[in-house]
Amino acid sequence: MKVVLFCGGYGMRMRGGSDDMVPKPLQLVGPRPLLWHVMRYYAHYGHTEFILCLGYGAEHIKNFFLTYRESASNDFVIRNGRVELLGSDIDDWTITLVDTGVESAIGERLRRVREHLGDDEHFLANYADVLTDAPLDEMITQFHASGAAASLMVVPPQSSFHCVDLSPTGEVKDIVPVANMPLWENGGYFVLGREIFDLLPPGGDLVEDACGALAGQGRLFGYRHDGFWKPADTFKERAELDAAYRSGHRPWMVWEP
């Protein structure tokens, strides 16, 4: 299936300031950016046709692929002054880069790349800033078996905060860590049917408008994942992923032996 990646947001919680022009998907984890790790995950499962919804920092993302260096993450031999690669990352990928507007909501970005999906009945979508070791094949299989029109991965709450059960008079009845509550968060990995476009108004949002409507109809499937899942929505989270990579703890890199 084709993979739609939303790469156009400002990513203000990630950037070092208003003068930091590097978009969030290009922030590094090891020698490669977040976006590369997400794409390698999909490619590992055989999904190598990518549609990148660009916005803020589009020129940086375009330049990353136009000047892509395979030697940064692959072994090679220098022989007679020429580089002979011993492996490659993206030589079998098809990457369509589409400017979907700087201010566009996620749903509007998806609407603007609809023509690039061709006649495909189903496709994958992702925020391009979350890494996981979830078994994608199983996720897709369960989606088809459910008969739903769309699916999103859900994960346990990641917050370290506590919820307080408070009486009307202010008496605290209980204090419970959010992570221990029977709640699930949107994990950012979607399997979508073409019907999703019928539920997206101009300028609309994928989750609130389209997925919300399907949930009300009982036609949205949630794939539960209790394994590794970590967003890189802030500088701290990206730094934690980078430190894990450098220490050799890389559970999201399912393509490694």
Side-chain angles (χ1 to χ4, degrees), residues 90-235:
I90 71 171
D91 62 342
D92 61 340
W93 295 3
T94 300
I95 309 172
T96 302
L97 297 97
V98 183
D99 188 345
T100 55
V102 175
E103 303 292 343
S104 300
I106 295 294
E108 180 60 25
R109 295 191 190 283
L110 182 55
R111 280 166 45 89
R112 296 186 183 189
V113 300
R114 181 175 184 173
E115 64 180 289
H116 299 286
L117 291 168
D119 297 325
D120 294 7
E121 289 298 320
H122 301 94
F123 61 96
L124 306 169
N126 192 285
Y127 293 136
D129 63 359
V130 180
L131 303 182
T132 186
D133 64 353
L136 184 59
D137 285 352
E138 179 182 323
M139 194 186 315
I140 294 171
T141 297
Q142 288 195 22
F143 160 70
H144 287 304
S146 73
S151 171
L152 74 164
M153 185 170 76
V154 296
V155 297
Q158 305 296 305
S159 173
S160 60
F161 293 109
H162 291 75
C163 283
V164 178
D165 183 5
L166 199 65
S167 74
T169 62
E171 177 186 354
V172 175
K173 298 292 187 179
D174 197 7
I175 299 177
V176 182
V178 174
N180 292 350
M181 299 189 69
L183 300 172
W184 295 88
E185 293 183 1
N186 172 15
Y189 283 71
F190 300 87
V191 187
L192 304 173
R194 291 187 66 84
E195 184 181 344
I196 204 78
F197 291 104
D198 299 332
L199 302 170
L200 281 173
D205 184 75
L206 173 60
V207 173
E208 292 185 7
D209 292 316
C211 291
L214 289 173
Q217 300 169 9
R219 304 179 62 228
L220 179 68
F221 178 74
Y223 175 81
R224 302 184 184 193
H225 180 58
D226 288 310
F228 178 84
W229 179 91
K230 186 170 180 62
D233 201 36
T234 66
F235 179 85

